[in-house]
Amino acid sequence: MNDVDLNLVPALDALLAEASVTGAARRLGLSPSAMSRTLARLRAVTGDALLVRAGNTLVLTPRALAMREPVHALAREARALLGPREQELDLATLRRDFVVRANEGFVALFAARLVAAAARQAPGVRLRFVARSRKDATPLRDGEVDLDIGVLGTSAPELRMRALFRDRFVGVVRTGHALLTADLTPARYAAGRHVVASRKTGFEGPVDRALAELGLRRDVAAIVPGFPDALRIARETELIAQVPASLVRADLPSAAAFAQGLEVFELPVSLPPIVVSAMWHPRLDAEAAHRWLRETFLQVCRDALEAPSR
């Protein structure tokens, strides 16, 4: 087989099907001159003219007519063998544990809906949520995590990613806080004391950078691991919190508990939106069960957030 170029099979299939150099070239996305050169090679390999002139058209030789069906079957089988294989997935019988890395806020908002959706479609699936203590790709690469939910940070170029929803930061203070008794300017906002959610040792977020452009700096009195922690502190102190708007939406039942006793306000600085994404390793890209998991997460998030916030 060393002297047989299997790349000629699709070209031969196209030529026998079209009985035309131009038609075969169009089918394969080649130029007519390139297809003419391929036909010359096929004639040399087979020892047959394959296509001969009959007036203004080309016709197949007897050898070419005899080859047409076997060559087409060979080309079809090669595509089926070497192309992506569509896996059959029976959700009713699927038994699988999926490990999902997500922060506490995402779990609080969506975990109940996700578990319910999985139970309806695939009762044998179990979702295990683990804390997103860091943003590196090692757990995905090592197979410890099936799906990573969050804002893309230090990552790996090979990771696959799909946006689940867009969010934005808002400010939050306890009900009756003095901050909201007058016009909220960047200076008044920065002058207050703040609680920040961050797992990094040193913290400087988008709010700090926006304030720095105005020559301002806020006083961060406390740093906590997650946004729910920041909300609890803001509810019981004079500290100002900054959280994703989805976490305190009044029209989301799962967010109602977070919003109690708090007032939400728009930040007096302009910030880029937050894009919350699902990330996974490419080895799982074509797996039917994992594809179902990704689609389920996307649909549940969209369904939960489709109602306009108040």
Side-chain angles (χ1 to χ4, degrees):
M1 295 291 289
N2 291 337
D3 58 350
V4 176
D5 185 357
L6 295 181
N7 289 318
L8 294 175
V9 172
L12 179 58
D13 182 40
L15 283 164
L16 298 181
E18 297 285 342
S20 164
V21 171
T22 302
R26 187 183 305 112
R27 176 184 287 204
L28 296 182
L30 300 175
S31 67
S33 59
M35 185 55 69
S36 293
R37 292 193 295 271
T38 302
L39 176 56
R41 292 182 61 197
L42 284 165
R43 284 169 170 164
V45 169
T46 62
D48 189 87
L50 299 175
L51 292 170
V52 295
R53 179 70 58 185
N56 293 326
T57 62
L58 295 175
V59 296
L60 302 182
T61 66
R63 171 84 186 279
L65 285 169
M67 294 170 63
R68 183 161 54 184
E69 287 304 320
V71 167
H72 182 64
L74 176 61
R76 184 176 62 248
E77 290 175 7
R79 285 192 293 269
L81 180 63
L82 299 177
R85 182 168 64 92
E86 186 65 28
Q87 297 172 297
E88 292 185 5
L89 178 64
D90 184 358
L91 292 174
T93 61
L94 179 63
R95 298 289 181 270
R96 181 81 172 267
D97 283 6
F98 288 107
V99 180
V100 180
R101 187 169 68 161
N103 63 37
E104 186 181 354
F106 181 89
V107 172
L109 286 181
F110 301 108
R113 290 173 180 258
L114 289 164
V115 170
R120 286 193 303 270
Q121 301 176 45
V125 164
R126 180 167 56 185
L127 299 179
R128 180 186 172 205
F129 292 93
V130 297
R132 196 168 193 261
S133 57
R134 61 187 195 274
K135 294 184 178 182
D136 68 284
T138 302
L140 289 172
R141 284 173 168 166
D142 293 346
E144 299 172 7
V145 169
D146 295 294
L147 202 62
D148 193 4
I149 308 297
V151 177
L152 185 65
T154 302
S155 187
E158 78 271 20
L159 290 188
R160 302 288 189 266
M161 180 181 68
R162 187 169 186 182
L164 296 177
F165 60 91
R166 293 168 71 87
D167 210 337
R168 73 185 198 284
F169 281 118
V170 294
V172 178
V173 292
R174 68 165 183 82
T175 302
H177 196 287
L179 181 70
L180 301 183
T181 58
D183 290 342
L184 184 58
T185 64
R188 288 193 65 239
Y189 173 76
R193 305 192 74 206
H194 298 257
V195 54
V196 170
S198 175
R199 290 182 172 85
K200 295 182 289 186
T201 303
F203 177 79
E204 183 184 271
V207 168
D208 301 277
R209 291 189 287 273
L211 289 172
E213 291 180 359
L214 301 174
L216 300 170
R217 182 181 179 87
R218 62 177 173 170
D219 178 11
V220 177
I223 301 174
V224 293
F227 293 117
D229 303 309
L231 289 173
R232 283 188 284 268
I233 290 178
R235 186 180 295 110
E236 299 176 15
T237 69
E238 297 300 309
L239 299 187
I240 305 164
Q242 160 211 325
V243 302
S246 60
L247 201 58
V248 287
R249 276 181 54 162
D251 59 341
L252 277 181
S254 53
F258 290 124
Q260 287 181 357
L262 295 169
E263 292 189 46
V264 180
F265 60 90
E266 295 295 330
L267 295 172
V269 290
S270 179
L271 301 179
I274 309 167
V275 180
V276 178
S277 300
M279 292 158 279
W280 64 94
H281 196 273
R283 68 174 177 276
L284 299 171
D285 201 41
E287 188 193 32
H290 197 275
R291 188 164 59 246
W292 165 80
L293 177 73
R294 302 191 304 259
E295 293 298 329
T296 300
F297 268 64
L298 178 64
Q299 193 59 54
V300 166
C301 290
R302 286 182 175 176
D303 289 346
L305 299 174
E306 66 180 2
S309 59
R310 292 193 291 268

